[in-house]
Amino acid sequence: EDRPDTIARQYRDRVAFTVNQNCGIYCRHCFRKELVVDGDLKLDFNIDEGLTWISMHPEVRDVLITGGDPLLLPDEQISYLIDRLRAMPHIEIIRFGSRTPIVLPQRFTENLKKILGEYHKVPIWINTQCNHPKELTEEVAWAVYDLMRCGVNVGNQAVLLKGINDEVATFRELHQKLLRTRI
């Protein structure tokens, strides 16, 4: 199948759409470190080319916008992506893969919450990554609460890390605290 470099497809109805290579935190376990660390690796982040490809594939119902971290893009670009995807009748859900809620909760300004939020038939989800209960600060809790109040759901994908969260008590505490934080 001929598709842009920015589109990864493992399932018929879902794609990952890579829109940038910048990240707010560089994780040693990241499977995309070559994208964010290797300065010689040059990918063409032609967002319009990716959007055109998605528009021509009506079987795609779920788009994961990823990177780097897509929520580090300027608000205008995030708004553009969401508006273009929501205009496609076959798109049912838009997800952002982002550690921003955990590592940069102040990124969720009133303007960004307005762009992401409000009721819509194509909901926005943010899938974040929190790996230890100490990452769940009061600032994170408020950012998640604000996101929920404007209609954005937040989920978590934890990575099991040796010596960090691989003990049952720590992993249990992480998930209990995630639930108390509404993630």
Side-chain angles (χ1 to χ4, degrees):
E1 175 181 26
D2 187 34
R3 65 178 176 266
D5 290 340
T6 56
I7 301 289
R9 186 177 199 178
Q10 290 180 312
Y11 304 99
R12 182 178 183 278
D13 66 340
R14 287 172 275 181
V15 296
F17 183 17
T18 305
V19 295
N20 73 349
Q21 70 185 62
N22 298 318
C23 202
I25 185 169
Y26 296 101
C27 305
R28 64 183 176 149
H29 58 271
C30 181
F31 68 91
R32 289 201 176 113
K33 24 183 171 210
E34 71 281 353
L35 176 64
V36 295
V37 175
D38 185 352
D40 295 331
L41 181 63
K42 300 291 182 220
L43 288 182
D44 177 15
F45 292 100
N46 187 326
I47 290 174
D48 286 318
E49 183 180 49
L51 288 166
T52 298
W53 185 92
I54 293 167
S55 74
M56 295 185 322
H57 287 81
E59 71 279 8
V60 174
R61 52 173 276 290
D62 179 347
V63 177
L64 169 64
I65 301 172
T66 187
D69 194 318
L71 294 179
L72 294 181
L73 290 172
D75 290 357
E76 298 75 27
Q77 280 188 285
I78 295 170
S79 180
Y80 178 75
L81 279 165
I82 291 170
D83 292 345
R84 288 281 311 271
L85 288 168
R86 282 184 166 164
M88 298 177 198
H90 58 281
I91 300 301
E92 297 175 9
I93 186 168
I94 299 169
R95 295 180 291 140
F96 283 87
S98 174
R99 288 207 71 193
T100 303
I102 306 301
V103 302
L104 193 63
Q106 62 271 31
R107 170 66 181 104
F108 297 96
T109 61
E110 291 304 315
N111 190 53
L112 183 56
K113 287 184 287 189
K114 185 175 190 291
I115 291 167
L116 295 171
E118 301 181 15
Y119 177 79
H120 200 280
K121 291 191 186 284
V122 181
I124 302 271
W125 279 81
I126 294 177
N127 294 331
T128 193
Q129 183 186 111
C130 180
N131 299 314
H132 195 278
K134 288 182 179 178
E135 291 182 287
L136 293 165
T137 65
E138 190 64 25
E139 292 83 4
V140 169
W142 275 107
V144 170
Y145 179 73
D146 284 347
L147 285 166
M148 291 185 68
R149 285 188 343 160
C150 68
V152 177
N153 298 295
V154 182
N156 190 60
Q157 297 173 304
V159 175
L160 192 60
L161 299 168
K162 184 175 182 170
I164 306 293
N165 65 4
D166 61 341
E167 293 180 4
V168 170
T170 304
F171 213 64
R172 179 183 299 120
E173 181 186 355
L174 167 63
H175 285 86
Q176 289 171 345
K177 198 168 180 183
L178 283 164
L179 290 172
R180 286 195 313 269
T181 308
R182 296 175 175 87
I183 299 175

